[in-house]
Amino acid sequence: MAPKILLVTGDAAESLEVLYPYQRLREEGYDVHIAAPERKKLRFVVHDFEPGFDTYTEKPGYTWPADLAFAEVEPEQYVAVVIPGGRAPEYLRNDPELRKILKSFFDADKPVAQICHGPLLTAAVDGLRGRNVTAYPALEPDMQAAGAAFRDAEVVVDGRLVSSRAWPDHPGWMREFLTVLRAKAPVT
């Protein structure tokens, strides 16, 4: 049986930050489950950069079904967790079920991949204190407030925590996360 990876997300997650790791990890042979506040068709968004805008723009993205609700997740069944960005982490960090799930991954020292605004979730469970991380650059003060040392880099690996800034960093992010995964939970 293939090792299971949990991907936690919700509406307004960045499409590429959900679907790229979902497909890439499945390609490697992992069994990836998408969890959200409830089982439903999720509505993702596309963030892009356009001339004349001080920040990214947001457009409707893909839809995708959640495999299970946070309340149905049994963290001990999963070898790792992936936390995409977008706007979803802003409200998901308030979900007590998700906070319990994420805390269990940190308590068990399991691999965690986070990108863009995803570190808002790991900050909410005090998973960043004393660590080196990257995130979407505008989150530097949030990462520092969570007790992390922020690095503006394509990817930062701190033990089993692998973080990246945004979807343009996908190749480095997944390359480093797969290195961590293959050492901790290889596909056999």
Side-chain angles (χ1 to χ4, degrees):
M1 210 153 96
K4 294 180 185 177
I5 296 178
L6 185 65
L7 192 153
V8 294
T9 195
D11 287 327
E14 163 51 56
S15 292
L16 289 173
E17 293 172 4
V18 174
L19 296 175
Y20 179 79
Y22 176 78
Q23 293 172 333
R24 182 68 189 94
L25 293 167
R26 290 186 65 210
E27 179 183 52
E28 283 289 318
Y30 291 95
D31 184 11
V32 183
H33 297 170
I34 295 178
E38 62 183 273
R39 285 184 191 228
K40 69 173 199 166
K41 181 168 68 172
L42 298 168
R43 291 168 180 86
F44 302 140
V45 298
V46 172
H47 289 151
D48 207 352
F49 301 92
E50 296 185 26
F53 280 78
D54 291 333
T55 189
Y56 53 84
T57 61
E58 183 173 285
K59 298 166 185 69
Y62 294 104
T63 59
W64 200 266
D67 298 310
L68 63 165
F70 294 147
E72 299 172 294
V73 172
E74 296 176 28
E76 64 278 0
Q77 292 186 4
Y78 297 91
V79 299
V81 64
V82 175
I83 308 167
R87 280 189 298 113
E90 293 174 14
Y91 69 91
L92 291 177
R93 62 185 163 177
N94 296 314
D95 188 298
E97 291 295 327
L98 179 55
R99 287 197 308 265
K100 282 190 270 186
I101 292 166
L102 293 177
K103 185 164 177 4
S104 73
F105 279 90
F106 280 98
D107 289 349
D109 195 29
K110 292 182 180 179
V112 176
Q114 60 184 12
I115 192 166
C116 194
H117 284 70
L120 292 173
L121 293 175
T122 52
V125 298
D126 200 31
L128 301 181
R129 188 165 313 284
R131 294 185 176 264
N132 294 301
V133 299
T134 194
Y136 188 71
L139 269 60
E140 181 176 358
D142 301 278
M143 299 300 95
Q144 292 169 339
F150 179 82
R151 307 279 182 260
D152 187 4
E154 176 187 45
V155 62
V156 173
V157 180
D158 187 317
R160 294 199 173 107
L161 176 65
V162 181
S163 54
S164 276
R165 297 172 297 199
W167 59 261
D169 296 335
H170 277 163
W173 183 49
M174 279 294 106
R175 182 175 46 254
E176 294 299 330
F177 187 56
L178 283 165
T179 298
V180 171
L181 273 177
R182 289 176 186 135
K184 177 71 175 171
V187 174
T188 55

